[in-house]
Amino acid sequence: MLRYTVRRLGQLLIVTVVLSVLLFGWLRALPGGPVSALLGERATEESRARLVQQLGLDQPLYVQYWKFVQRAITGDFGVSTGVQPGTPAMEVFLQRMPATLELSVLALLLAVAVGIPLGYFAARRQGGWLDNLSITWSLIGVAVPVFFLAFLLKYVFAIEFGVLPASGRQAAGIDATHATGFFVLDGVLTTEWDAAWNALIHLLLPAIALSTIPFAVIFRLTRASVLDVVEEDYVRTARSKGLGAMVVRGRHILRNAMLPVVTTIGLQTGALLSGAVLTEQVFNIPGIGQALSLGFQRQDYAVLQVVILATAMVYVLVNLLVDLAYAAIDPRLRTR
């Protein structure tokens, strides 16, 4: 297991280097560049030349890249010029990251908590009403765009019926302590239960909207995996030995069916982080998705750098954890 983990960490390092090179080259190829973003389109040639020299943009690309890596390691990505002018880009990211993680974690929990059990029971009752209804529901979840579903949920439950909040992370009148930036967790840690509940109900609509695609993927893969595993010889052998139904279902069917599902859950993390851009815009959640959108609109290259690189790193780390979990479930991978 140790050798497997070290090998995966080496691959993680290679992926990180490739990502940094791609990000460095892509941002410098964008129209306008950082000089126009900082000085504006009406800046004089003298001021442009002076800023180019100050930023080191007149140096060879490999020198610029090495300085970029050195600054990135220390967390220095520059100062925001559009999202939160004058604020260090890393600080912008750290301020907004809890909102996106809180939303993404709840969305993933909803998708897993509903998708896996529903996929399992739908497979056990293949062709029944539950199976047909679940497949239809999952198709709708994939087909309906996230932003449209977000607007629909907001209109029905927030505007028409008024049972859930329409936007934001917490009601304005709530006097809560925000030590970590995770509003639900802060409320629990400080035993401010009203604040925790208020933050949770603010998350419900955006989390439901964001969870629809991961739910559909997890449900369909769980159902297909269970149907495949049920027909395996080792399942029939376990039953012929007289093992209890719970043992057969848990140890032999569900555990083996979870192998592709675990991988898919890790891959869906990236989809959640990218889908959060639209969801946060609809529900006015100040997360990294909204920061990314504003960064493109206002050409805030410093914020774009840290958000894209950090989001990619989170995605890579989650997939590393998924690989380790996969190896824990299937011991055969540890010896490869």
PDB file of all heavy atoms in Angstrom, residues 241-262:
ATOM      1  N   LYS A 241     -23.520 -21.568  -0.430  1.00  0.00           N
ATOM      2  CA  LYS A 241     -22.926 -21.940   0.854  1.00  0.00           C
ATOM      3  C   LYS A 241     -23.871 -21.695   2.022  1.00  0.00           C
ATOM      4  O   LYS A 241     -23.568 -22.065   3.155  1.00  0.00           O
ATOM      5  CB  LYS A 241     -21.643 -21.136   1.080  1.00  0.00           C
ATOM      6  CG  LYS A 241     -20.478 -21.575   0.202  1.00  0.00           C
ATOM      7  CD  LYS A 241     -19.253 -20.734   0.526  1.00  0.00           C
ATOM      8  CE  LYS A 241     -18.040 -21.198  -0.279  1.00  0.00           C
ATOM      9  NZ  LYS A 241     -16.840 -20.372   0.009  1.00  0.00           N
ATOM     10  N   GLY A 242     -24.975 -21.033   1.745  1.00  0.00           N
ATOM     11  CA  GLY A 242     -25.943 -20.762   2.796  1.00  0.00           C
ATOM     12  C   GLY A 242     -25.686 -19.490   3.565  1.00  0.00           C
ATOM     13  O   GLY A 242     -26.230 -19.308   4.660  1.00  0.00           O
ATOM     14  N   LEU A 243     -24.855 -18.575   3.007  1.00  0.00           N
ATOM     15  CA  LEU A 243     -24.621 -17.300   3.680  1.00  0.00           C
ATOM     16  C   LEU A 243     -25.905 -16.480   3.730  1.00  0.00           C
ATOM     17  O   LEU A 243     -26.745 -16.568   2.823  1.00  0.00           O
ATOM     18  CB  LEU A 243     -23.527 -16.511   2.953  1.00  0.00           C
ATOM     19  CG  LEU A 243     -22.115 -17.120   2.958  1.00  0.00           C
ATOM     20  CD1 LEU A 243     -21.164 -16.240   2.182  1.00  0.00           C
ATOM     21  CD2 LEU A 243     -21.612 -17.324   4.383  1.00  0.00           C
ATOM     22  N   GLY A 244     -26.042 -15.686   4.769  1.00  0.00           N
ATOM     23  CA  GLY A 244     -27.237 -14.873   4.936  1.00  0.00           C
ATOM     24  C   GLY A 244     -27.382 -13.835   3.833  1.00  0.00           C
ATOM     25  O   GLY A 244     -26.388 -13.415   3.210  1.00  0.00           O
ATOM     26  N   ALA A 245     -28.604 -13.413   3.598  1.00  0.00           N
ATOM     27  CA  ALA A 245     -28.873 -12.455   2.528  1.00  0.00           C
ATOM     28  C   ALA A 245     -28.134 -11.140   2.756  1.00  0.00           C
ATOM     29  O   ALA A 245     -27.604 -10.535   1.811  1.00  0.00           O
ATOM     30  CB  ALA A 245     -30.377 -12.210   2.421  1.00  0.00           C
ATOM     31  N   MET A 246     -28.060 -10.690   4.015  1.00  0.00           N
ATOM     32  CA  MET A 246     -27.378  -9.431   4.305  1.00  0.00           C
ATOM     33  C   MET A 246     -25.882  -9.536   4.024  1.00  0.00           C
ATOM     34  O   MET A 246     -25.273  -8.590   3.518  1.00  0.00           O
ATOM     35  CB  MET A 246     -27.613  -9.035   5.766  1.00  0.00           C
ATOM     36  CG  MET A 246     -29.060  -8.692   6.097  1.00  0.00           C
ATOM     37  SD  MET A 246     -29.657  -7.274   5.133  1.00  0.00           S
ATOM     38  CE  MET A 246     -28.632  -5.977   5.779  1.00  0.00           C
ATOM     39  N   VAL A 247     -25.285 -10.685   4.327  1.00  0.00           N
ATOM     40  CA  VAL A 247     -23.856 -10.886   4.065  1.00  0.00           C
ATOM     41  C   VAL A 247     -23.584 -10.888   2.564  1.00  0.00           C
ATOM     42  O   VAL A 247     -22.641 -10.262   2.075  1.00  0.00           O
ATOM     43  CB  VAL A 247     -23.363 -12.194   4.704  1.00  0.00           C
ATOM     44  CG1 VAL A 247     -21.912 -12.475   4.327  1.00  0.00           C
ATOM     45  CG2 VAL A 247     -23.523 -12.141   6.216  1.00  0.00           C
ATOM     46  N   VAL A 248     -24.421 -11.595   1.814  1.00  0.00           N
ATOM     47  CA  VAL A 248     -24.253 -11.668   0.364  1.00  0.00           C
ATOM     48  C   VAL A 248     -24.410 -10.296  -0.268  1.00  0.00           C
ATOM     49  O   VAL A 248     -23.601  -9.884  -1.117  1.00  0.00           O
ATOM     50  CB  VAL A 248     -25.261 -12.665  -0.249  1.00  0.00           C
ATOM     51  CG1 VAL A 248     -25.197 -12.628  -1.775  1.00  0.00           C
ATOM     52  CG2 VAL A 248     -24.985 -14.072   0.249  1.00  0.00           C
ATOM     53  N   ARG A 249     -25.413  -9.567   0.155  1.00  0.00           N
ATOM     54  CA  ARG A 249     -25.667  -8.257  -0.445  1.00  0.00           C
ATOM     55  C   ARG A 249     -24.590  -7.243  -0.080  1.00  0.00           C
ATOM     56  O   ARG A 249     -24.154  -6.458  -0.930  1.00  0.00           O
ATOM     57  CB  ARG A 249     -27.029  -7.741   0.005  1.00  0.00           C
ATOM     58  CG  ARG A 249     -28.208  -8.541  -0.534  1.00  0.00           C
ATOM     59  CD  ARG A 249     -29.494  -8.126   0.155  1.00  0.00           C
ATOM     60  NE  ARG A 249     -30.619  -8.971  -0.232  1.00  0.00           N
ATOM     61  CZ  ARG A 249     -31.806  -8.953   0.372  1.00  0.00           C
ATOM     62  NH1 ARG A 249     -32.014  -8.134   1.406  1.00  0.00           N
ATOM     63  NH2 ARG A 249     -32.776  -9.755  -0.043  1.00  0.00           N
ATOM     64  N   GLY A 250     -24.176  -7.242   1.191  1.00  0.00           N
ATOM     65  CA  GLY A 250     -23.210  -6.256   1.638  1.00  0.00           C
ATOM     66  C   GLY A 250     -21.786  -6.565   1.242  1.00  0.00           C
ATOM     67  O   GLY A 250     -21.073  -5.733   0.672  1.00  0.00           O
ATOM     68  N   ARG A 251     -21.328  -7.812   1.515  1.00  0.00           N
ATOM     69  CA  ARG A 251     -19.929  -8.160   1.311  1.00  0.00           C
ATOM     70  C   ARG A 251     -19.609  -8.551  -0.124  1.00  0.00           C
ATOM     71  O   ARG A 251     -18.524  -8.264  -0.633  1.00  0.00           O
ATOM     72  CB  ARG A 251     -19.544  -9.302   2.250  1.00  0.00           C
ATOM     73  CG  ARG A 251     -18.067  -9.676   2.211  1.00  0.00           C
ATOM     74  CD  ARG A 251     -17.770 -10.797   3.171  1.00  0.00           C
ATOM     75  NE  ARG A 251     -18.096 -10.425   4.555  1.00  0.00           N
ATOM     76  CZ  ARG A 251     -18.049 -11.286   5.566  1.00  0.00           C
ATOM     77  NH1 ARG A 251     -17.710 -12.552   5.364  1.00  0.00           N
ATOM     78  NH2 ARG A 251     -18.343 -10.877   6.797  1.00  0.00           N
ATOM     79  N   HIS A 252     -20.557  -9.206  -0.802  1.00  0.00           N
ATOM     80  CA  HIS A 252     -20.258  -9.740  -2.121  1.00  0.00           C
ATOM     81  C   HIS A 252     -20.844  -8.912  -3.271  1.00  0.00           C
ATOM     82  O   HIS A 252     -20.222  -8.813  -4.327  1.00  0.00           O
ATOM     83  CB  HIS A 252     -20.765 -11.183  -2.221  1.00  0.00           C
ATOM     84  CG  HIS A 252     -20.070 -12.127  -1.288  1.00  0.00           C
ATOM     85  ND1 HIS A 252     -18.837 -12.665  -1.558  1.00  0.00           N
ATOM     86  CD2 HIS A 252     -20.427 -12.593  -0.064  1.00  0.00           C
ATOM     87  CE1 HIS A 252     -18.466 -13.448  -0.551  1.00  0.00           C
ATOM     88  NE2 HIS A 252     -19.413 -13.420   0.374  1.00  0.00           N
ATOM     89  N   ILE A 253     -22.029  -8.362  -3.070  1.00  0.00           N
ATOM     90  CA  ILE A 253     -22.649  -7.602  -4.166  1.00  0.00           C
ATOM     91  C   ILE A 253     -22.297  -6.124  -4.085  1.00  0.00           C
ATOM     92  O   ILE A 253     -21.658  -5.575  -4.994  1.00  0.00           O
ATOM     93  CB  ILE A 253     -24.191  -7.788  -4.151  1.00  0.00           C
ATOM     94  CG1 ILE A 253     -24.551  -9.251  -4.411  1.00  0.00           C
ATOM     95  CG2 ILE A 253     -24.831  -6.892  -5.206  1.00  0.00           C
ATOM     96  CD1 ILE A 253     -26.051  -9.534  -4.369  1.00  0.00           C
ATOM     97  N   LEU A 254     -22.683  -5.487  -2.994  1.00  0.00           N
ATOM     98  CA  LEU A 254     -22.537  -4.030  -2.916  1.00  0.00           C
ATOM     99  C   LEU A 254     -21.079  -3.603  -2.887  1.00  0.00           C
ATOM    100  O   LEU A 254     -20.697  -2.629  -3.549  1.00  0.00           O
ATOM    101  CB  LEU A 254     -23.273  -3.507  -1.677  1.00  0.00           C
ATOM    102  CG  LEU A 254     -23.582  -2.004  -1.651  1.00  0.00           C
ATOM    103  CD1 LEU A 254     -24.362  -1.606  -2.887  1.00  0.00           C
ATOM    104  CD2 LEU A 254     -24.352  -1.636  -0.398  1.00  0.00           C
ATOM    105  N   ARG A 255     -20.222  -4.340  -2.163  1.00  0.00           N
ATOM    106  CA  ARG A 255     -18.816  -3.943  -2.081  1.00  0.00           C
ATOM    107  C   ARG A 255     -18.147  -4.006  -3.451  1.00  0.00           C
ATOM    108  O   ARG A 255     -17.400  -3.100  -3.834  1.00  0.00           O
ATOM    109  CB  ARG A 255     -18.073  -4.843  -1.100  1.00  0.00           C
ATOM    110  CG  ARG A 255     -16.602  -4.454  -0.965  1.00  0.00           C
ATOM    111  CD  ARG A 255     -15.897  -5.240   0.104  1.00  0.00           C
ATOM    112  NE  ARG A 255     -14.500  -4.853   0.212  1.00  0.00           N
ATOM    113  CZ  ARG A 255     -13.661  -5.327   1.112  1.00  0.00           C
ATOM    114  NH1 ARG A 255     -14.084  -6.211   1.998  1.00  0.00           N
ATOM    115  NH2 ARG A 255     -12.408  -4.924   1.127  1.00  0.00           N
ATOM    116  N   ASN A 256     -18.389  -5.060  -4.208  1.00  0.00           N
ATOM    117  CA  ASN A 256     -17.788  -5.173  -5.537  1.00  0.00           C
ATOM    118  C   ASN A 256     -18.422  -4.211  -6.536  1.00  0.00           C
ATOM    119  O   ASN A 256     -17.753  -3.734  -7.455  1.00  0.00           O
ATOM    120  CB  ASN A 256     -17.908  -6.612  -6.049  1.00  0.00           C
ATOM    121  CG  ASN A 256     -16.968  -7.554  -5.325  1.00  0.00           C
ATOM    122  OD1 ASN A 256     -15.767  -7.573  -5.557  1.00  0.00           O
ATOM    123  ND2 ASN A 256     -17.526  -8.336  -4.405  1.00  0.00           N
ATOM    124  N   ALA A 257     -19.700  -3.916  -6.353  1.00  0.00           N
ATOM    125  CA  ALA A 257     -20.369  -2.977  -7.248  1.00  0.00           C
ATOM    126  C   ALA A 257     -19.897  -1.552  -7.025  1.00  0.00           C
ATOM    127  O   ALA A 257     -20.037  -0.697  -7.912  1.00  0.00           O
ATOM    128  CB  ALA A 257     -21.883  -3.051  -7.060  1.00  0.00           C
ATOM    129  N   MET A 258     -19.318  -1.277  -5.847  1.00  0.00           N
ATOM    130  CA  MET A 258     -18.891   0.074  -5.510  1.00  0.00           C
ATOM    131  C   MET A 258     -17.588   0.489  -6.182  1.00  0.00           C
ATOM    132  O   MET A 258     -17.243   1.673  -6.190  1.00  0.00           O
ATOM    133  CB  MET A 258     -18.737   0.218  -3.992  1.00  0.00           C
ATOM    134  CG  MET A 258     -20.036   0.328  -3.225  1.00  0.00           C
ATOM    135  SD  MET A 258     -21.007   1.784  -3.704  1.00  0.00           S
ATOM    136  CE  MET A 258     -22.198   1.036  -4.818  1.00  0.00           C
ATOM    137  N   LEU A 259     -16.836  -0.453  -6.739  1.00  0.00           N
ATOM    138  CA  LEU A 259     -15.531  -0.114  -7.316  1.00  0.00           C
ATOM    139  C   LEU A 259     -15.622   0.979  -8.386  1.00  0.00           C
ATOM    140  O   LEU A 259     -14.946   2.000  -8.288  1.00  0.00           O
ATOM    141  CB  LEU A 259     -14.864  -1.371  -7.867  1.00  0.00           C
ATOM    142  CG  LEU A 259     -14.444  -2.403  -6.813  1.00  0.00           C
ATOM    143  CD1 LEU A 259     -13.914  -3.660  -7.482  1.00  0.00           C
ATOM    144  CD2 LEU A 259     -13.385  -1.820  -5.892  1.00  0.00           C
ATOM    145  N   PRO A 260     -16.429   0.820  -9.442  1.00  0.00           N
ATOM    146  CA  PRO A 260     -16.535   1.904 -10.431  1.00  0.00           C
ATOM    147  C   PRO A 260     -17.254   3.129  -9.891  1.00  0.00           C
ATOM    148  O   PRO A 260     -17.003   4.251 -10.338  1.00  0.00           O
ATOM    149  CB  PRO A 260     -17.321   1.264 -11.586  1.00  0.00           C
ATOM    150  CG  PRO A 260     -18.085   0.155 -10.955  1.00  0.00           C
ATOM    151  CD  PRO A 260     -17.219  -0.361  -9.846  1.00  0.00           C
ATOM    152  N   VAL A 261     -18.131   2.935  -8.902  1.00  0.00           N
ATOM    153  CA  VAL A 261     -18.893   4.059  -8.350  1.00  0.00           C
ATOM    154  C   VAL A 261     -17.966   4.999  -7.581  1.00  0.00           C
ATOM    155  O   VAL A 261     -18.100   6.227  -7.667  1.00  0.00           O
ATOM    156  CB  VAL A 261     -20.035   3.552  -7.445  1.00  0.00           C
ATOM    157  CG1 VAL A 261     -20.779   4.725  -6.811  1.00  0.00           C
ATOM    158  CG2 VAL A 261     -20.998   2.683  -8.231  1.00  0.00           C
ATOM    159  N   VAL A 262     -17.017   4.434  -6.830  1.00  0.00           N
ATOM    160  CA  VAL A 262     -16.073   5.256  -6.068  1.00  0.00           C
ATOM    161  C   VAL A 262     -15.274   6.149  -7.005  1.00  0.00           C
ATOM    162  O   VAL A 262     -15.063   7.339  -6.742  1.00  0.00           O
ATOM    163  CB  VAL A 262     -15.138   4.352  -5.234  1.00  0.00           C
ATOM    164  CG1 VAL A 262     -13.955   5.149  -4.689  1.00  0.00           C
ATOM    165  CG2 VAL A 262     -15.915   3.728  -4.084  1.00  0.00           C
TER     166      VAL A 262
END
